[in-house]
Amino acid sequence: MDQRSPTATGRQGYMTRNRLAVSLLFLLNGFVIGSWAPKIPEFKDRLGISESVLGLLILMFGIGSLVLMPIAGGFIARVGSQKVVKVTAIILSPLLLLLTLVPDVWTAAVAMFLLGGFAGAMDVAMNANAVEVEKSMRRAIMSSCHAYWSLGGLIGAGIGGFLMARFGVLPHVLVVTAICLALIVAAWPMILADKPHPGAAKEKLRLPMTPLPWLIGIMALFSMVPEGTVLDWGALYLRNELGASVELSGFGFAAFSATMATMRFAGDFVRDRFGAKRTLRICTVTALVGMIIAGTAPNAYIAILGFAIAGIGISNMVPIAFSAAGNMPGLQPGIGLSVATFMGYSGMLFAPSLIGFVAEHTGFAIIFASVPLLFIVVLLLSHHADHADGAKGH
């Protein structure tokens, strides 16, 4: 049976089997990443490594993502996103278990490369599958898919510390692996079976030579750099420059994450109502205002309010950019998405390091007040968001 079979007359229901499946895959991917976060202190202590070596191992995570993401895009163009997302999800599921069993820093580096690589490759594949489900349903679903990713991250991070403290490190990763496999089993028969383009198998796997995928990649890049900046430097800014306590400094990213996750669940409705281009512009202006408030705040409470407003805005910028990347005319969704995810995650992984170096000389206030300049570029390119509505006929 052709699971695509979109209705000829209009949209399908709100939660189809295909949408449930891809939502579970986003939940799984976020759950793995969230489960990794509370393991980091144990991982460092067990290997007996310094912060700088830990930083290099985390860099291997980013390198793995950037290497395997374009490869995943090429395979999606040839065999479809369904097969790629199934394979990458199966390989990703036990990788935290592997990280728990590695005996030294060299095998840990390999394990980190694989974790980042297959988390990134699955990210490309599940976004490509979500694009196909959007087309089949003739309604926006990308924002809520990313909300499920955020929810998975919160669940993984939330229960990770409790499980490790109560039952130990190994039982924790065994539970994580079992939950991942259970999610795969639940989603497996419902994952939309998209077909590759008839000519894709004969085409060489190469990056697109037209400017449009790269322009949308810039939109993703400039949307994700501020997100990574708040994640990595928000707490330090609140504590060192605005005098926040240790407890209060954590509320900056918490407020940002909470509003972002909440608005992602509402984002599809907003996008269906106003269209991708208008939604992106409203979100970008909101994010710009929020970041400027945070960067010019006289105290930590106003800065936290600014981060919360920025989270509302940034929530739907990346999902819309990814949806547009998967709907470009004449380009396989996997190829377009691999460019957008590659550029977007590059910004999230590497830009904060550069920002940290600059902030040593300038302070973080001017950083947070200047980063919104990137949003002006997103506004200038926002007309390309029309491609995100291509399948829905806005």
PDB file of all heavy atoms in Angstrom, residues 361-384:
ATOM      1  N   HIS A 361      37.454  39.567  25.623  1.00  0.00           N
ATOM      2  CA  HIS A 361      37.949  40.932  25.447  1.00  0.00           C
ATOM      3  C   HIS A 361      36.835  41.978  25.515  1.00  0.00           C
ATOM      4  O   HIS A 361      37.104  43.150  25.772  1.00  0.00           O
ATOM      5  CB  HIS A 361      38.665  41.050  24.090  1.00  0.00           C
ATOM      6  CG  HIS A 361      39.763  40.032  23.912  1.00  0.00           C
ATOM      7  ND1 HIS A 361      41.011  40.177  24.468  1.00  0.00           N
ATOM      8  CD2 HIS A 361      39.782  38.842  23.262  1.00  0.00           C
ATOM      9  CE1 HIS A 361      41.767  39.130  24.158  1.00  0.00           C
ATOM     10  NE2 HIS A 361      41.046  38.304  23.431  1.00  0.00           N
ATOM     11  N   THR A 362      35.585  41.560  25.237  1.00  0.00           N
ATOM     12  CA  THR A 362      34.509  42.546  25.148  1.00  0.00           C
ATOM     13  C   THR A 362      33.463  42.427  26.234  1.00  0.00           C
ATOM     14  O   THR A 362      32.715  43.377  26.484  1.00  0.00           O
ATOM     15  CB  THR A 362      33.788  42.420  23.791  1.00  0.00           C
ATOM     16  OG1 THR A 362      33.146  41.139  23.723  1.00  0.00           O
ATOM     17  CG2 THR A 362      34.776  42.550  22.637  1.00  0.00           C
ATOM     18  N   GLY A 363      33.368  41.239  26.859  1.00  0.00           N
ATOM     19  CA  GLY A 363      32.258  40.978  27.763  1.00  0.00           C
ATOM     20  C   GLY A 363      31.074  40.415  26.985  1.00  0.00           C
ATOM     21  O   GLY A 363      31.032  40.504  25.746  1.00  0.00           O
ATOM     22  N   PHE A 364      30.105  39.832  27.706  1.00  0.00           N
ATOM     23  CA  PHE A 364      28.989  39.156  27.028  1.00  0.00           C
ATOM     24  C   PHE A 364      27.834  40.095  26.701  1.00  0.00           C
ATOM     25  O   PHE A 364      27.026  39.809  25.816  1.00  0.00           O
ATOM     26  CB  PHE A 364      28.475  37.996  27.884  1.00  0.00           C
ATOM     27  CG  PHE A 364      29.365  36.794  27.851  1.00  0.00           C
ATOM     28  CD1 PHE A 364      30.111  36.433  28.960  1.00  0.00           C
ATOM     29  CD2 PHE A 364      29.480  36.024  26.700  1.00  0.00           C
ATOM     30  CE1 PHE A 364      30.940  35.327  28.930  1.00  0.00           C
ATOM     31  CE2 PHE A 364      30.308  34.918  26.659  1.00  0.00           C
ATOM     32  CZ  PHE A 364      31.043  34.563  27.777  1.00  0.00           C
ATOM     33  N   ALA A 365      27.733  41.224  27.397  1.00  0.00           N
ATOM     34  CA  ALA A 365      26.600  42.120  27.142  1.00  0.00           C
ATOM     35  C   ALA A 365      26.599  42.582  25.693  1.00  0.00           C
ATOM     36  O   ALA A 365      25.563  42.543  25.003  1.00  0.00           O
ATOM     37  CB  ALA A 365      26.651  43.309  28.100  1.00  0.00           C
ATOM     38  N   ILE A 366      27.757  42.995  25.201  1.00  0.00           N
ATOM     39  CA  ILE A 366      27.811  43.470  23.818  1.00  0.00           C
ATOM     40  C   ILE A 366      27.620  42.317  22.830  1.00  0.00           C
ATOM     41  O   ILE A 366      27.074  42.498  21.734  1.00  0.00           O
ATOM     42  CB  ILE A 366      29.151  44.201  23.554  1.00  0.00           C
ATOM     43  CG1 ILE A 366      29.084  44.938  22.210  1.00  0.00           C
ATOM     44  CG2 ILE A 366      30.327  43.228  23.573  1.00  0.00           C
ATOM     45  CD1 ILE A 366      30.254  45.875  22.011  1.00  0.00           C
ATOM     46  N   ILE A 367      28.002  41.098  23.242  1.00  0.00           N
ATOM     47  CA  ILE A 367      27.761  39.929  22.398  1.00  0.00           C
ATOM     48  C   ILE A 367      26.265  39.707  22.224  1.00  0.00           C
ATOM     49  O   ILE A 367      25.758  39.572  21.095  1.00  0.00           O
ATOM     50  CB  ILE A 367      28.408  38.671  23.003  1.00  0.00           C
ATOM     51  CG1 ILE A 367      29.939  38.788  23.008  1.00  0.00           C
ATOM     52  CG2 ILE A 367      27.944  37.419  22.257  1.00  0.00           C
ATOM     53  CD1 ILE A 367      30.578  38.717  21.654  1.00  0.00           C
ATOM     54  N   PHE A 368      25.539  39.673  23.355  1.00  0.00           N
ATOM     55  CA  PHE A 368      24.104  39.410  23.268  1.00  0.00           C
ATOM     56  C   PHE A 368      23.355  40.565  22.605  1.00  0.00           C
ATOM     57  O   PHE A 368      22.282  40.369  22.039  1.00  0.00           O
ATOM     58  CB  PHE A 368      23.539  39.126  24.657  1.00  0.00           C
ATOM     59  CG  PHE A 368      23.830  37.732  25.136  1.00  0.00           C
ATOM     60  CD1 PHE A 368      24.783  37.497  26.117  1.00  0.00           C
ATOM     61  CD2 PHE A 368      23.184  36.640  24.573  1.00  0.00           C
ATOM     62  CE1 PHE A 368      25.069  36.211  26.538  1.00  0.00           C
ATOM     63  CE2 PHE A 368      23.466  35.343  24.989  1.00  0.00           C
ATOM     64  CZ  PHE A 368      24.418  35.131  25.974  1.00  0.00           C
ATOM     65  N   ALA A 369      23.910  41.783  22.683  1.00  0.00           N
ATOM     66  CA  ALA A 369      23.268  42.916  22.005  1.00  0.00           C
ATOM     67  C   ALA A 369      23.607  42.942  20.512  1.00  0.00           C
ATOM     68  O   ALA A 369      22.874  43.553  19.726  1.00  0.00           O
ATOM     69  CB  ALA A 369      23.710  44.225  22.662  1.00  0.00           C
ATOM     70  N   SER A 370      24.697  42.270  20.117  1.00  0.00           N
ATOM     71  CA  SER A 370      25.130  42.288  18.713  1.00  0.00           C
ATOM     72  C   SER A 370      24.641  41.090  17.914  1.00  0.00           C
ATOM     73  O   SER A 370      24.404  41.200  16.700  1.00  0.00           O
ATOM     74  CB  SER A 370      26.665  42.336  18.636  1.00  0.00           C
ATOM     75  OG  SER A 370      27.167  43.465  19.308  1.00  0.00           O
ATOM     76  N   VAL A 371      24.499  39.934  18.579  1.00  0.00           N
ATOM     77  CA  VAL A 371      24.065  38.727  17.876  1.00  0.00           C
ATOM     78  C   VAL A 371      22.757  38.943  17.092  1.00  0.00           C
ATOM     79  O   VAL A 371      22.582  38.381  16.006  1.00  0.00           O
ATOM     80  CB  VAL A 371      23.938  37.555  18.874  1.00  0.00           C
ATOM     81  CG1 VAL A 371      23.085  36.418  18.310  1.00  0.00           C
ATOM     82  CG2 VAL A 371      25.332  37.018  19.225  1.00  0.00           C
ATOM     83  N   PRO A 372      21.823  39.765  17.606  1.00  0.00           N
ATOM     84  CA  PRO A 372      20.577  39.978  16.831  1.00  0.00           C
ATOM     85  C   PRO A 372      20.798  40.550  15.436  1.00  0.00           C
ATOM     86  O   PRO A 372      19.881  40.488  14.610  1.00  0.00           O
ATOM     87  CB  PRO A 372      19.798  40.969  17.708  1.00  0.00           C
ATOM     88  CG  PRO A 372      20.297  40.732  19.078  1.00  0.00           C
ATOM     89  CD  PRO A 372      21.731  40.387  18.941  1.00  0.00           C
ATOM     90  N   LEU A 373      21.992  41.103  15.151  1.00  0.00           N
ATOM     91  CA  LEU A 373      22.255  41.566  13.783  1.00  0.00           C
ATOM     92  C   LEU A 373      22.106  40.423  12.779  1.00  0.00           C
ATOM     93  O   LEU A 373      21.743  40.645  11.617  1.00  0.00           O
ATOM     94  CB  LEU A 373      23.674  42.159  13.700  1.00  0.00           C
ATOM     95  CG  LEU A 373      23.902  43.470  14.472  1.00  0.00           C
ATOM     96  CD1 LEU A 373      25.372  43.857  14.434  1.00  0.00           C
ATOM     97  CD2 LEU A 373      23.040  44.589  13.886  1.00  0.00           C
ATOM     98  N   LEU A 374      22.370  39.193  13.239  1.00  0.00           N
ATOM     99  CA  LEU A 374      22.204  38.037  12.355  1.00  0.00           C
ATOM    100  C   LEU A 374      20.743  37.882  11.929  1.00  0.00           C
ATOM    101  O   LEU A 374      20.459  37.419  10.819  1.00  0.00           O
ATOM    102  CB  LEU A 374      22.676  36.762  13.063  1.00  0.00           C
ATOM    103  CG  LEU A 374      24.140  36.733  13.534  1.00  0.00           C
ATOM    104  CD1 LEU A 374      24.437  35.417  14.249  1.00  0.00           C
ATOM    105  CD2 LEU A 374      25.083  36.914  12.359  1.00  0.00           C
ATOM    106  N   PHE A 375      19.827  38.285  12.820  1.00  0.00           N
ATOM    107  CA  PHE A 375      18.411  38.161  12.489  1.00  0.00           C
ATOM    108  C   PHE A 375      18.010  39.091  11.353  1.00  0.00           C
ATOM    109  O   PHE A 375      17.036  38.827  10.635  1.00  0.00           O
ATOM    110  CB  PHE A 375      17.557  38.449  13.725  1.00  0.00           C
ATOM    111  CG  PHE A 375      17.713  37.432  14.822  1.00  0.00           C
ATOM    112  CD1 PHE A 375      17.706  37.811  16.144  1.00  0.00           C
ATOM    113  CD2 PHE A 375      17.859  36.080  14.521  1.00  0.00           C
ATOM    114  CE1 PHE A 375      17.836  36.878  17.157  1.00  0.00           C
ATOM    115  CE2 PHE A 375      17.997  35.129  15.534  1.00  0.00           C
ATOM    116  CZ  PHE A 375      17.982  35.536  16.846  1.00  0.00           C
ATOM    117  N   ILE A 376      18.725  40.203  11.193  1.00  0.00           N
ATOM    118  CA  ILE A 376      18.412  41.105  10.072  1.00  0.00           C
ATOM    119  C   ILE A 376      18.678  40.408   8.743  1.00  0.00           C
ATOM    120  O   ILE A 376      17.922  40.557   7.779  1.00  0.00           O
ATOM    121  CB  ILE A 376      19.244  42.398  10.206  1.00  0.00           C
ATOM    122  CG1 ILE A 376      18.819  43.157  11.472  1.00  0.00           C
ATOM    123  CG2 ILE A 376      19.074  43.284   8.970  1.00  0.00           C
ATOM    124  CD1 ILE A 376      19.651  44.393  11.760  1.00  0.00           C
ATOM    125  N   VAL A 377      19.734  39.602   8.703  1.00  0.00           N
ATOM    126  CA  VAL A 377      20.012  38.818   7.496  1.00  0.00           C
ATOM    127  C   VAL A 377      18.886  37.814   7.242  1.00  0.00           C
ATOM    128  O   VAL A 377      18.449  37.619   6.101  1.00  0.00           O
ATOM    129  CB  VAL A 377      21.364  38.099   7.625  1.00  0.00           C
ATOM    130  CG1 VAL A 377      21.648  37.260   6.376  1.00  0.00           C
ATOM    131  CG2 VAL A 377      22.492  39.093   7.862  1.00  0.00           C
ATOM    132  N   VAL A 378      18.407  37.182   8.323  1.00  0.00           N
ATOM    133  CA  VAL A 378      17.293  36.236   8.171  1.00  0.00           C
ATOM    134  C   VAL A 378      16.069  36.955   7.611  1.00  0.00           C
ATOM    135  O   VAL A 378      15.374  36.432   6.732  1.00  0.00           O
ATOM    136  CB  VAL A 378      16.961  35.569   9.523  1.00  0.00           C
ATOM    137  CG1 VAL A 378      15.746  34.646   9.384  1.00  0.00           C
ATOM    138  CG2 VAL A 378      18.165  34.772  10.039  1.00  0.00           C
ATOM    139  N   LEU A 379      15.812  38.174   8.099  1.00  0.00           N
ATOM    140  CA  LEU A 379      14.673  38.944   7.573  1.00  0.00           C
ATOM    141  C   LEU A 379      14.849  39.238   6.088  1.00  0.00           C
ATOM    142  O   LEU A 379      13.892  39.153   5.305  1.00  0.00           O
ATOM    143  CB  LEU A 379      14.529  40.251   8.363  1.00  0.00           C
ATOM    144  CG  LEU A 379      13.913  40.144   9.762  1.00  0.00           C
ATOM    145  CD1 LEU A 379      14.001  41.479  10.489  1.00  0.00           C
ATOM    146  CD2 LEU A 379      12.459  39.677   9.677  1.00  0.00           C
ATOM    147  N   LEU A 380      16.086  39.589   5.688  1.00  0.00           N
ATOM    148  CA  LEU A 380      16.334  39.898   4.278  1.00  0.00           C
ATOM    149  C   LEU A 380      16.134  38.679   3.381  1.00  0.00           C
ATOM    150  O   LEU A 380      15.800  38.808   2.200  1.00  0.00           O
ATOM    151  CB  LEU A 380      17.762  40.449   4.117  1.00  0.00           C
ATOM    152  CG  LEU A 380      18.021  41.817   4.770  1.00  0.00           C
ATOM    153  CD1 LEU A 380      19.503  42.179   4.672  1.00  0.00           C
ATOM    154  CD2 LEU A 380      17.170  42.893   4.102  1.00  0.00           C
ATOM    155  N   LEU A 381      16.357  37.484   3.948  1.00  0.00           N
ATOM    156  CA  LEU A 381      16.214  36.245   3.168  1.00  0.00           C
ATOM    157  C   LEU A 381      14.855  35.565   3.373  1.00  0.00           C
ATOM    158  O   LEU A 381      14.608  34.500   2.802  1.00  0.00           O
ATOM    159  CB  LEU A 381      17.325  35.252   3.553  1.00  0.00           C
ATOM    160  CG  LEU A 381      18.767  35.685   3.270  1.00  0.00           C
ATOM    161  CD1 LEU A 381      19.749  34.683   3.872  1.00  0.00           C
ATOM    162  CD2 LEU A 381      18.996  35.805   1.766  1.00  0.00           C
ATOM    163  N   SER A 382      14.000  36.183   4.184  1.00  0.00           N
ATOM    164  CA  SER A 382      12.789  35.485   4.635  1.00  0.00           C
ATOM    165  C   SER A 382      11.819  35.138   3.512  1.00  0.00           C
ATOM    166  O   SER A 382      10.981  34.252   3.684  1.00  0.00           O
ATOM    167  CB  SER A 382      12.071  36.328   5.690  1.00  0.00           C
ATOM    168  OG  SER A 382      11.699  37.592   5.150  1.00  0.00           O
ATOM    169  N   HIS A 383      11.925  35.817   2.357  1.00  0.00           N
ATOM    170  CA  HIS A 383      11.009  35.474   1.259  1.00  0.00           C
ATOM    171  C   HIS A 383      11.223  34.045   0.767  1.00  0.00           C
ATOM    172  O   HIS A 383      10.327  33.439   0.183  1.00  0.00           O
ATOM    173  CB  HIS A 383      11.172  36.462   0.102  1.00  0.00           C
ATOM    174  CG  HIS A 383      12.567  36.565  -0.429  1.00  0.00           C
ATOM    175  ND1 HIS A 383      13.573  37.235   0.241  1.00  0.00           N
ATOM    176  CD2 HIS A 383      13.137  36.069  -1.560  1.00  0.00           C
ATOM    177  CE1 HIS A 383      14.697  37.167  -0.461  1.00  0.00           C
ATOM    178  NE2 HIS A 383      14.461  36.460  -1.549  1.00  0.00           N
ATOM    179  N   HIS A 384      12.413  33.481   1.030  1.00  0.00           N
ATOM    180  CA  HIS A 384      12.653  32.096   0.632  1.00  0.00           C
ATOM    181  C   HIS A 384      11.845  31.107   1.480  1.00  0.00           C
ATOM    182  O   HIS A 384      11.740  29.933   1.122  1.00  0.00           O
ATOM    183  CB  HIS A 384      14.143  31.767   0.751  1.00  0.00           C
ATOM    184  CG  HIS A 384      15.010  32.533  -0.212  1.00  0.00           C
ATOM    185  ND1 HIS A 384      14.814  32.482  -1.578  1.00  0.00           N
ATOM    186  CD2 HIS A 384      16.058  33.375  -0.006  1.00  0.00           C
ATOM    187  CE1 HIS A 384      15.714  33.252  -2.178  1.00  0.00           C
ATOM    188  NE2 HIS A 384      16.473  33.817  -1.251  1.00  0.00           N
TER     189      HIS A 384
END
